[in-house]
Every structure is written in C-alpha cells, then in structure tokens.
Amino acid sequence: MPNDAGRYSKEEVIASGLPYYIPKSKRWTQTPYPFAILISKSRCERFGMPILGSGGERPSAFLYSASAGTGTDDRKHRYIPLYDRTDSLSGDESIRLYPHEIMKPGD
C-alpha cells in the first residue's frame, strides 16, 4: 500500500515482482518487457495521459528515488510508481524521455 504521497517501500516493490530502476547503477533489476516507456504519474499528467484513478491502473514498474521523503519523517517509501505509456508515446519525437523511462533489452 503506497503512502500518502503515492510512493512505495522496498518491501512492497519486491513483493510486487515488478522491475525497478536504480539511477545510481543506471540499470533495471529485470527487463520483462521487450520495450517499454514507463513514466511517473506527474509525467503522465504532463503529457495528457493521466492514470486511471481509484486503483483502476496499477504500476508497471518503479523508480528508486534516494531523495523521496526529504523533509519528512518518512525514509521508508522511496520508490515511485511508473506507468506504461508505450503505445501512446512510441515514435513521438516531440517528447523527451529520460533514460529511466525507457526499458529495452540490454539495459
């Protein structure tokens, strides 16, 4: 269950079985998708593709954020959920994606 900010703990991420990206090592823990564009809730909204509310859309992966929870007592929930927008964003050259938003074989 995510915290009020929508972030997950490491235990929750591991229990989900979904991959997560670790920026310091620049790698995914696993790459179950042949190619995927995985973006955060705020990026989904920015690109006009908001996530479905009330649990209607589950994360497809997670991003570890060492700074998550800064300024709060919460040092446990450091994983940001990522949502699959592969079909919507593939081939759109006008959108700049960050390395952690793209999963492909060999990453």
Side-chain angles (χ1 to χ4, degrees):
M1 188 79 172
N3 69 0
D4 293 340
R7 294 185 305 266
Y8 290 74
S9 70
K10 184 172 186 172
E11 294 80 16
E12 292 168 324
V13 170
I14 290 171
S16 76
L18 295 172
Y20 54 96
Y21 188 83
I22 304 169
K24 187 174 182 176
S25 65
K26 298 180 182 178
R27 68 174 179 86
W28 289 95
T29 56
Q30 57 176 308
T31 52
Y33 315 115
F35 175 80
I37 296 175
L38 304 159
I39 60 177
S40 67
K41 178 181 178 179
S42 61
R43 296 270 285 171
C44 286
E45 290 170 1
R46 180 176 172 202
F47 296 143
M49 300 170 236
I51 64 169
L52 301 174
S54 302
E57 185 173 5
R58 300 260 184 230
S60 297
F62 295 91
L63 169 65
Y64 174 74
S65 175
S67 63
T70 301
T72 70
D73 294 341
D74 187 356
R75 298 280 186 241
K76 185 176 180 181
H77 295 86
R78 294 180 180 241
Y79 292 81
I80 300 167
L82 301 176
Y83 300 91
D84 190 345
R85 294 296 184 266
T86 307
D87 292 340
S88 303
L89 296 176
S90 289
D92 190 337
E93 301 298 324
S94 67
I95 295 178
R96 183 179 183 276
L97 297 170
Y98 300 109
H100 70 266
E101 295 176 328
I102 303 169
M103 179 187 287
K104 56 187 175 188
D107 284 354

